[in-house]
């Protein structure tokens, strides 16, 4: 089966995010960029399905030329082919990203698209659902287990929801979004990294896709959240209870 | 033109957390002069319809079809879009629950609307604040589309209160069914404790609890306080507690009166889900743990000693106060 996955370039989740002094964006000077944590999980799931059923894993990243790094990492993990949609640095909203992915899906005709449930920079959690709607496909978001039956062309997906685990069956092609516990992504091996250099990586200019990506969501400014005034220590359990009493938060 | 709030149901009843979306609609109503309607989709009980009709809405749209008994984004989208069109909605709003997060982007795509996820503040009719980068940044976003879709962070808006006036009730029929998806089952996490997002006390456990056999130490404290139990990602990943206990950037957001973090280091992804709690207690044996920076009362101690002692002493205090 043919599976399309993504590799959004985002800051390392453990890096410290600082704002530019004028609030126009994030100071990226000391930040390490990686594949969005959830996309790594999506890529891993695509690879596991390919290992089971055969086929191809195609990885897409939308952004500047720098995203080549993330595509190469995905190729080193085992993906077969990469597509970079070069935006020339222009800002896209989630609808814009989903429209581009929909265009690529039209060309590539995958049986399955697996994305991350959310990008850890914008924390939007929208693209998979929008993409599914644009394609008229079923969606299975927040997946923690995906079982595919190629004969019936269906996937049974366990989804992490507020009340526990919801199980849904979707017919393929479908869009799945990966949650944290879907799998543990592999590291790229040294031979994998060597091989990745030879794998095809196509660059497409955003203009050439002929999709209207003018954003309807704009970010006007970024600011730091109000800091919690914490840091007070108590020396033992009795002092802790005293502090609790004084704060009047105890229910009795 | 109007505002549409999609309420969420659980076992036929209105989920309290979804009332925060009504409060957001009220604020928007003040800013724009538009009135708001509410939608109940699925299998609302009579009492849910009655409750929804006392939320200050102009109309309550009720869409109760056999094929909507179990939620799917695809079928609910059809219903929401129909009601949005019927009511001339310029805004469609829900709470950012797992259902709202799953459903609303799909609604937005169908309506050609721009969407802002998990907003924490309404500035004006088109400008909103929301968190990014695991809550380390607040972004001000503007939606330029004609129709705007919003999900709201439940802890950022009060729950709308009941009003005495009664809204008109409209039944809406939706016959179109999406074929490619089937709800199989909900494996519900059963708990006698209050809902994590509703509880006024939350006790959360981290990797410091060492193993599932020790969770009971935290449960005893939780139950003396009548609270809910939460967890860090590490604990859920290890399988010591179910997924829906996770507090954080990608789990649940809580803002109780009292949050007690036991053996949790305080990674930004965890803090994102609890930093609006009124009073934070941290018990951790590492004096350098980042959780102490945001704690109102930090106790550097081995939780295996401190927590049983705290539980015993609070139990006594509770007995005294109950007299
Ligand atoms: C994309 C992404 C999303 C994430 N989303 C979330 C999320 O939603 N929620 C979340 O929680 N995390 C999330 N994380 C993970 C987060 O980064 C941390 O790894 C996680 O919160 C750590 O959990 P912890 O504090 O329980 O474990 P640790 O960081 O291992 O901390 C354990 C703590 O226990 C203390 N301890 C050990 N023994 C004792 C003892 N006997 N007594 C007292 N203290 C003791 C230690 O000093 C330590 O501070 C996410 C990560 C990523 C990359
Ligand atoms: N620029 C991008 N390039 C590739 N994939 C993306 C991009 N932006 C978003 N995605 C995909 O959409 C998912 C959800 O993103 P979001 O809706 O922005 O939180 C991500 O995990 C990716 O799978």
């Amino acid at each position: 089966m043919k599976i399309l996955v993504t590799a959004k370039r985002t800051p390392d989740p453990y890096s410290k995010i600082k704002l530019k002094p004028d609030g126009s964006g994030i100071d990226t000077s000391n930040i390490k960029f990686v594949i969005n944590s959830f996309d790594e999980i999506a890529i891993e799931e695509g690879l596991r399905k390919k290992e089971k059923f055969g086929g191809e894993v195609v990885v897409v990243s939308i952004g500047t030329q720098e995203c080549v790094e993330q595509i190469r990492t995905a190729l080193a993990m085992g993906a077969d082919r990469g597509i970079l949609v070069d935006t020339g640095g222009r800002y896209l909203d989630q609808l814009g990203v989903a429209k581009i992915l929909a265009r690529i899906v039209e060309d590539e005709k995958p049986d399955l698209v697996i994305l991350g449930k959310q990008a850890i920079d914008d924390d939007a959690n929208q693209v998979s659902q929008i993409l599914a709607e644009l394609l008229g496909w079923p969606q299975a978001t927040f997946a923690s287990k995906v079982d595919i039956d190629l004969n019936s062309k269906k996937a049974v997906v366990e989804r992490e929801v507020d009340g526990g685990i919801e199980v849904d069956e979707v017919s393929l092609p479908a869009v799945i979004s990966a949650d944290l516990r879907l799998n543990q992504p592999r590291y790229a091996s040294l031979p994998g990294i060597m091989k990745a250099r030879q794998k095809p990586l196509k660059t497409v200019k955003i203009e050439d896709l002929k999709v209207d990506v003018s954003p309807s969501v704009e970010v006007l400014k970024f600011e730091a959240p109000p800091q919690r005034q914490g840091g007070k220590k108590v020396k033992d359990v009795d002092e802790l209870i005293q502090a609790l009493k004084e704060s009047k938060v105890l229910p009795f | 033109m109007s505002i549409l709030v999609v309420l969420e149901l659980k076992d036929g009843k209105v989920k309290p957390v979804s009332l925060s979306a009504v409060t957001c609609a009220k604020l928007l109503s003040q800013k724009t002069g538009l009135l708001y309607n509410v939608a109940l989709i699925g299998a609302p009980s009579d009492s849910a319809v009655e409750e929804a009709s006392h939320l200050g809405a102009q109309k309550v749209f009720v869409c109760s079809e056999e094929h909507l008994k179990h939620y799917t984004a695809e079928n609910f989208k059809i219903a929401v879009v129909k009601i949005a069109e019927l009511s001339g909605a310029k805004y469609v709003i829900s709470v950012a629950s797992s259902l709202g997060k799953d459903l609303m982007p799909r609604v937005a795509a169908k309506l050609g609307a721009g969407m802002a996820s998990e907003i924490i503040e309404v500035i004006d009719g088109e400008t909103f604040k929301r968190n990014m980068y695991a809550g380390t940044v607040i972004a001000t976003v503007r939606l330029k589309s004609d129709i705007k879709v919003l999900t709201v962070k439940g802890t950022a808006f009060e729950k709308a209160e009941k009003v005495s006036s009664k809204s008109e009730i409209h039944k809406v029929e939706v016959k179109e069914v999406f074929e490619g998806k089937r709800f199989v089952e909900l494996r519900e996490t059963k708990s006698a404790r209050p809902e994590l997002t509703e509880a006024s006390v939350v006790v959360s456990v981290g990797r410091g609890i060492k193993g599932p056999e020790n969770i009971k130490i935290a449960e005893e404290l939780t139950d003396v306080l009548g609270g809910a139990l939460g967890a860090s990602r590490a604990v859920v990943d290890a399988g010591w507690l179910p997924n829906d206990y996770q507090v954080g950037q990608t789990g649940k957001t809580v803002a109780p009166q009292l949050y007690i973090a036991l053996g949790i280091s305080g990674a930004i992804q965890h803090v994102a889900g609890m930093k609006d709690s009124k009073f934070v207690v941290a018990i951790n044996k590492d004096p350098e743990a980042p959780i102490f920076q945001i704690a109102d009362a930090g106790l550097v101690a081995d939780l295996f000693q401190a927590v049983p002692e705290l539980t015993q002493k609070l139990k006594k205090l509770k007995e005294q106060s109950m007299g």
Side-chain angles (χ1 to χ4, degrees):
Chain A
M1 68 191 303
K2 184 163 169 180
I3 303 166
L4 194 87
V5 296
T6 52
K8 183 176 186 185
R9 179 179 167 88
T10 58
D12 183 303
Y14 303 107
S15 58
K16 187 153 171 48
I17 300 295
K18 281 205 229 104
L19 289 169
K20 287 186 190 155
D22 65 356
S24 65
I26 304 304
D27 175 2
T28 54
S29 51
N30 285 313
I31 285 184
K32 188 176 140 216
F33 281 86
V34 296
I35 298 177
N36 179 39
S37 312
F38 291 95
D39 294 20
E40 256 188 326
I41 300 170
I43 294 163
E44 175 65 33
E45 195 63 16
L47 295 176
R48 290 188 189 185
K49 295 304 180 234
K50 182 187 109 172
E51 282 154 10
K52 187 158 177 198
F53 299 108
E56 190 188 21
V57 175
V58 181
V59 57
V60 183
S61 191
I62 305 168
T64 60
Q65 278 294 330
E66 291 174 302
C67 302
V68 164
E69 195 187 332
Q70 279 62 50
I71 296 180
R72 288 278 176 224
T73 305
L75 296 176
M77 285 170 73
D80 300 284
R81 231 169 4 101
I83 301 173
L84 167 68
V85 178
D86 188 345
T87 58
R90 75 190 274 178
Y91 162 80
L92 298 173
D93 63 6
Q94 274 62 37
L95 180 59
V97 170
K99 278 182 177 170
I100 291 172
L101 291 174
R103 239 348 282 288
I104 292 173
V105 166
E106 273 171 35
D107 289 347
E108 293 282 342
K109 302 194 174 44
D111 305 292
L112 186 61
V113 177
I114 314 178
L115 305 186
K117 89 160 177 183
Q118 95 193 44
I120 60 153
D121 48 5
D122 57 54
D123 279 338
N125 194 336
Q126 295 182 14
V127 171
S128 306
Q129 299 87 318
I130 297 175
L131 176 63
E133 176 61 28
L134 296 178
L135 296 169
W137 291 7
Q139 69 189 43
T141 54
F142 325 148
S144 59
K145 189 162 187 277
V146 177
D147 281 323
I148 289 176
D149 180 24
L150 275 190
N151 289 326
S152 62
K153 291 195 130 233
K154 286 195 166 122
V156 174
V157 182
E158 296 187 4
R159 306 178 45 237
E160 295 202 355
V161 297
D162 287 348
I165 296 285
E166 185 177 308
V167 186
D168 288 325
E169 183 189 79
V170 290
S171 51
L172 303 183
V175 178
I176 289 176
S177 86
D179 213 321
L180 291 171
R181 281 164 282 278
L182 181 56
N183 58 50
Q184 182 65 47
R186 70 193 68 185
Y187 291 102
S189 65
L190 199 58
I193 295 169
M194 301 301 286
K195 266 198 230 155
R197 296 195 187 138
Q198 311 302 325
K199 290 183 178 172
L201 196 170
K202 177 171 85 176
T203 299
V204 186
K205 284 220 157 34
I206 192 167
E207 301 79 40
D208 296 338
L209 289 176
K210 305 263 180 286
V211 282
D212 174 14
V213 290
S214 47
S216 52
V217 185
E218 241 178 22
V219 184
L220 301 181
K221 76 169 182 202
F222 295 91
E223 60 196 318
Q227 285 305 306
R228 253 198 100 87
Q229 294 303 316
K232 282 181 230 93
K233 293 253 172 68
V234 291
K235 89 174 181 306
D236 56 22
V237 168
D238 291 328
E239 261 193 26
L240 173 56
I241 289 178
Q242 197 51 40
L244 285 170
K245 279 187 185 160
E246 282 164 15
S247 70
K248 302 200 170 19
V249 290
L250 284 177
F252 43 80
Chain B
M1 291 198 299
S2 58
I3 299 166
L4 179 63
V5 181
V6 180
L7 293 175
E8 190 170 331
L9 295 165
K10 168 102 174 78
D11 303 327
K13 296 199 259 313
V14 176
K15 264 184 109 168
V17 67
S18 69
L19 298 176
S20 55
V22 177
T23 300
C24 176
K26 284 190 177 163
L27 291 169
L28 267 174
S29 179
Q30 287 162 13
K31 311 253 182 202
T32 61
L34 300 176
L35 297 173
Y36 61 93
N37 302 307
V38 301
L40 284 176
I41 300 165
S45 61
D46 293 343
S47 67
V49 177
E50 175 68 19
E51 184 184 348
S53 70
H54 288 289
L55 292 172
Q58 194 185 24
K59 290 176 189 155
V60 178
F61 292 96
V62 180
C63 186
S64 146
E65 304 277 355
E66 191 54 34
H67 72 276
L68 296 172
K69 234 165 111 181
H70 292 296
Y71 164 80
T72 63
E74 294 79 356
N75 282 329
F76 269 50
K77 174 219 73 188
I78 297 170
V80 173
V81 167
K82 177 156 187 190
I83 297 168
E85 285 169 357
L86 269 176
S87 61
K90 289 288 162 195
Y91 297 87
V92 186
I93 313 173
S94 86
V95 70
S97 57
S98 60
L99 186 153
K101 291 175 181 175
D102 185 50
L103 171 66
M104 298 301 266
R106 201 152 180 148
V107 168
K110 180 71 186 176
L111 293 172
M115 170 168 171
S117 304
E118 293 195 66
I119 64 161
I120 55 171
E121 199 181 318
V122 174
I123 297 174
D124 59 37
E126 53 182 29
T127 326
F128 310 94
K129 286 193 181 183
R130 57 179 302 269
N131 289 316
M132 284 192 184
Y133 296 89
T136 56
V137 171
I138 295 177
T140 303
V141 297
R142 181 198 282 154
L143 301 185
K144 297 190 291 187
S145 49
D146 177 38
I147 302 178
K148 300 171 179 66
V149 172
L150 304 168
T151 57
V152 309
K153 202 179 255 302
T155 50
F157 298 86
E158 299 286 318
K159 297 187 185 77
E161 305 229 346
K162 194 178 165 176
V163 298
S164 54
S165 64
K166 194 165 169 6
S167 328
E168 277 173 49
I169 294 165
H170 285 256
K171 289 232 177 286
V172 180
E173 272 194 11
V174 175
K175 293 297 165 218
E176 187 190 342
V177 180
F178 183 89
E179 293 299 341
K181 168 113 157 239
R182 190 171 66 85
F183 166 89
V184 179
E185 61 171 328
L186 177 63
R187 290 184 205 144
E188 226 175 316
T189 307
K190 293 266 186 275
S191 165
R193 300 196 182 91
E195 270 244 15
L196 195 49
T197 53
E198 313 275 344
S200 54
V201 177
V202 173
V203 176
S204 280
V205 288
R207 205 192 317 259
I209 200 81
K210 299 268 169 6
E213 66 283 3
N214 301 325
I215 301 270
K216 62 176 185 301
I217 300 174
E219 285 180 322
E220 281 159 12
L221 175 60
T222 308
D223 292 337
V224 171
L225 294 165
L229 190 64
S232 73
R233 173 188 172 185
V235 165
V236 178
D237 279 3
W240 302 344
L241 282 171
N243 64 284
D244 51 327
Y245 282 59
Q246 182 177 313
V247 171
Q249 177 191 19
T250 54
K252 288 183 177 158
T253 306
V254 301
Q257 290 290 304
L258 173 58
Y259 187 88
I260 306 183
L262 305 175
I264 291 179
S265 61
I268 54 162
Q269 292 89 358
H270 185 79
V271 170
M274 48 66 72
K275 68 180 161 119
D276 294 325
S277 305
K278 181 150 183 257
F279 195 85
V280 174
V281 171
I283 302 180
N284 193 307
K285 67 177 184 189
D286 173 11
E288 302 300 322
I291 190 79
F292 285 129
Q293 291 164 18
I294 61 153
D296 300 288
L299 177 60
V300 180
D302 183 335
L303 73 87
F304 295 101
Q305 265 143 33
V307 177
E309 184 189 341
L310 178 63
T311 305
Q312 283 317 311
K313 289 185 168 163
L314 284 175
K315 211 181 243 171
K316 271 214 192 99
L317 196 66
K318 186 176 176 179
E319 278 158 13
Q320 283 166 11
S321 73
M322 302 279 195

